[in-house]
Amino acid sequence: MAERLQNYINGAWCEASTADYLDVVNPATTEVLAQVPLSPAADIAAAAEAAATAFKTWRRVPVGDRIQYLFTLKGLMTDHLDELARTITLECGKTVAEAKAEMQRAIENVEVACSAPLMLQGDVSEDIARGIDELMIRQPLGVCAAIAPFNFPGMIPFWFLPYAIACGNTYILKPSEKVPLTLRLVMQLIEQTGLPPGVVNLVNGAKDAVDAILDHSAIRAVSFVGSSPVAKYVYGRAAANGKRVQCQGGAKNPIIVLPDADVAMTTRITMDSAFGCAGQRCLAASLMVTVGKAKEPFTEAIAEAAKARVVGFGLEDGVQMGPVINDQSRDRIHDLIAQGIEEGAKPLVDGRNPSVSGYERGSFVRPTLLQDVRPDSRIAQTEVFGPVLGMLHVDTIDEAIALVNGGQWGNMACLFTSSGAAARQFRYEAEAGNIGINIGVAAPMAFFPFSGWKESFFGDLHGQGRHAFEFFTQTKVVVERWFPDWSRQF
Ligand code: NAD
């Protein structure tokens, strides 16, 4: 029988208090890698209690000492990079090169969180009135939690965790039940740093565990990343319970191509954006909008590149694209492609039902290009989260920007051009929180906020960078006056 995963609570690995387990499946081979528990509310309560107890002492540890654990963690993550990447490929399907790049981004967030001694500094004003001073200090919140999606099992928890603990909070991680093995390994590395028990806890599970996080009174802040319907639900329920909350949701990212864009570079970058990680990135290009004379040359080049992409098991050399996460996801993507065709789109390259030699049972979809997608069709508005690129055509950049802004999403929008004026207009007018100019995956570095807008984000402060330090602290303002004590003799 496959190994049954445990939770990590109060510095120890322990059985979940449930008999409900799900298989964790390698999507390329369908091998069962492990079984993950669907932990009930009692396990979240145990983690919250441990974290609340640990908070009492952890918040008093000087910030310079707190970040020493993060420096150690960075070293451990770097030393175990290959093992972490391999684990991601096995459970999530992406290529090992993609998995390594993902973990590199996680490590960068640990590095940025080590700036906490500077970032936690407050403000002081002397003499706001005669003899009165006022100061603002940043204090931790208490117990915080992250609820993660399946597509970046190693990176996404690091948009939050290192900042939270550097700020003096204690933490509960709830990985996606589809990919729990990467965070198990991360937790084993965290354990090696010698962090005090209860500072970081890991509880596996699905909806019951999420609901317990949203309802537990000791949990003060929740960070969520996943699909928009669940993001909205988490945002509403956590906020109604008085919690601070940030929820990053889904996307439908357009790439606009002007006739003056470089064909070879644009094609290569668009391919990587649309089909990298099998299109399962919240920053994947999913609509390509050609403007004016860009239509013909770019359509031809993109079709050739899509057909040439090497699909297979992500651990094998030369593979450029792995499977999607599971059979349900593959079937959902197939249905959306069929629906798009019914709505009038032409399958320029059809990636349905591929045969991948040696991996016939894997959850594969090949790169798919749908031409002449109508802006009002469902395929133009629904997040596919698979390797499907819809192609549209307009006559002017103004029409293209109107198309970007007409959608409900706002995670990313990109422009390919050699015109600075067009780039500036796009940067200024496009309604999306992450903008790429001749960039296909405009993923902010760890020291910038991951800035989704509209239906792609619910909340105020985003993950990473300065926003993270603000999210994980509450400000306290002190107004003080001291009377001279003339009677004291020194
Ligand atoms: P998902 O919404 O299905 O799951 C995310 C988390 O929510 C998981 O931990 C899951 O256990 C939990 N969950 C699922 N259904 C729930 C429910 N009904 N009630 C309570 N909790 C529930 O998302 P996913 O399929 O794991 O991830 C893919 C989605 O995440 C895509 O929409 C993608 O765009 C989005 N995503 C967004 C970003 C971003 O930064 N905006 C980054 C990565 C992924």
Side-chain angles (χ1 to χ4, degrees):
M1 200 172 84
E3 180 196 4
R4 289 191 150 190
L5 299 181
Q6 296 186 317
N7 295 331
Y8 186 85
I9 298 174
N10 204 21
W13 292 96
C14 52
E15 295 286 321
S17 43
T18 182
D20 278 351
Y21 281 77
L22 284 182
D23 286 344
V24 182
V25 177
N26 176 334
T29 62
T30 66
E31 179 198 355
V32 176
L33 302 167
Q35 290 197 312
V36 62
L38 298 180
S39 302
D43 293 348
I44 292 291
E49 204 175 299
T53 304
F55 176 66
K56 290 180 194 151
T57 41
W58 180 244
R59 69 161 293 197
R60 291 172 194 279
V61 174
V63 62
D65 293 348
R66 290 201 296 258
I67 61 169
Q68 296 311 313
Y69 296 96
L70 293 177
F71 283 116
T72 307
L73 181 59
K74 183 210 154 151
L76 286 164
M77 288 170 76
T78 306
D79 291 349
H80 290 80
L81 189 63
D82 288 345
E83 196 183 349
L84 285 160
R86 198 183 141 78
T87 306
I88 292 173
T89 298
L90 288 177
E91 66 178 353
C92 184
K94 64 182 69 174
T95 68
V96 78
E98 289 169 339
K100 267 192 196 167
E102 167 178 349
M103 282 321 299
Q104 195 52 47
R105 286 286 172 125
I107 290 169
E108 286 161 15
N109 275 283
V110 177
E111 292 168 353
V112 173
C114 287
S115 65
L118 195 61
M119 296 303 294
L120 295 183
Q121 286 178 351
D123 298 324
V124 183
S125 291
E126 269 189 338
D127 291 324
I128 50 121
R130 194 170 293 273
I132 300 180
D133 305 328
E134 183 161 340
L135 48 144
M136 187 277 284
I137 49 185
R138 291 193 171 279
Q139 296 195 332
L141 302 167
V143 182
C144 305
I147 301 162
F150 79 80
N151 64 325
F152 282 92
M155 173 184 75
I156 285 176
F158 281 87
W159 290 348
F160 315 111
L161 167 77
Y163 303 97
I165 62 173
C167 290
N169 302 284
T170 52
Y171 218 64
I172 302 174
L173 288 166
K174 205 297 283 174
S176 163
E177 64 278 19
K178 293 173 188 149
V179 291
L181 289 164
T182 305
L183 270 196
R184 193 258 299 255
L185 181 50
V186 164
M187 195 67 243
Q188 287 167 342
L189 299 180
I190 291 175
E191 197 177 13
Q192 287 177 43
T193 65
L195 262 180
V199 173
V200 182
N201 305 273
L202 174 87
V203 180
N204 287 293
K207 182 168 171 51
D208 287 349
V210 171
D211 287 345
I213 288 172
L214 305 180
D215 293 343
H216 199 289
S217 59
I219 298 175
R220 295 285 319 282
V222 176
S223 303
F224 170 90
V225 182
S227 58
S228 284
V230 184
K232 215 182 240 184
Y233 163 77
V234 167
Y235 186 63
R237 187 156 168 171
N241 284 326
K243 299 184 198 312
R244 190 176 280 207
V245 51
Q246 52 183 188
C247 294
Q248 303 191 196
K252 184 82 188 173
N253 304 306
I255 283 197
I256 314 298
V257 183
L258 299 189
D260 62 1
D262 181 277
V263 177
M265 178 195 72
T266 305
T267 303
R268 183 177 53 74
I269 295 176
T270 304
M271 285 298 93
D272 285 342
S273 177
F275 304 132
C277 300
Q280 299 171 120
R281 268 197 295 228
C282 67
L283 295 179
S286 60
L287 291 175
M288 179 172 183
V289 184
T290 49
V291 177
K293 291 194 176 119
K295 184 173 179 180
E296 236 172 76
F298 283 99
T299 305
E300 239 168 68
I302 296 267
E304 285 315 305
K307 283 182 212 152
R309 203 146 186 105
V310 181
V311 177
F313 181 24
L315 285 186
E316 288 184 354
D317 284 345
V319 168
Q320 295 171 308
M321 193 178 104
V324 297
I325 188 66
N326 54 30
D327 284 356
Q328 294 94 302
S329 197
R330 179 200 58 203
D331 295 346
R332 186 184 51 77
I333 295 164
H334 281 179
D335 287 350
L336 279 165
I337 296 171
Q339 220 176 70
I341 295 168
E342 263 169 43
E343 289 174 323
K346 295 191 197 79
L348 192 61
V349 181
D350 190 340
R352 287 175 292 178
N353 303 311
S355 165
V356 177
S357 178
Y359 301 99
E360 285 75 10
R361 294 170 57 202
S363 309
F364 290 98
V365 183
R366 276 189 186 276
T368 297
L369 288 180
L370 295 177
Q371 207 181 8
D372 298 334
V373 165
R374 282 204 334 268
D376 60 346
S377 62
R378 262 191 76 190
I379 191 73
Q381 294 174 12
T382 309
E383 179 178 41
V384 177
F385 221 56
V388 179
L389 183 64
M391 304 178 82
L392 294 84
H393 184 72
V394 295
D395 293 328
T396 65
I397 185 172
D398 290 333
E399 281 176 75
I401 293 174
L403 209 143
V404 170
N405 294 349
Q408 59 177 315
W409 312 93
N411 217 33
M412 179 184 82
C414 301
L415 180 74
F416 286 81
T417 183
S418 52
S419 156
R424 185 179 190 280
Q425 180 189 356
F426 187 76
R427 188 182 79 188
Y428 195 87
E429 294 179 7
E431 291 172 7
N434 300 294
I435 298 289
I437 305 290
N438 296 316
I439 296 286
V441 180
M445 296 296 287
F447 33 90
F448 282 96
F450 196 106
S451 294
W453 282 17
K454 294 163 86 176
E455 290 285 306
S456 300
F457 180 72
F458 304 92
D460 307 289
L461 293 165
H462 297 84
Q464 300 198 142
R466 274 178 210 282
H467 278 216
F469 287 104
E470 288 185 28
F471 185 80
F472 289 114
T473 53
Q474 52 197 342
T475 53
K476 183 181 270 182
V477 172
V478 182
V479 185
E480 62 183 26
R481 165 161 48 201
W482 293 94
F483 298 102
D485 183 353
W486 301 116
S487 62
R488 294 180 85 166
Q489 300 291 323
F490 293 103

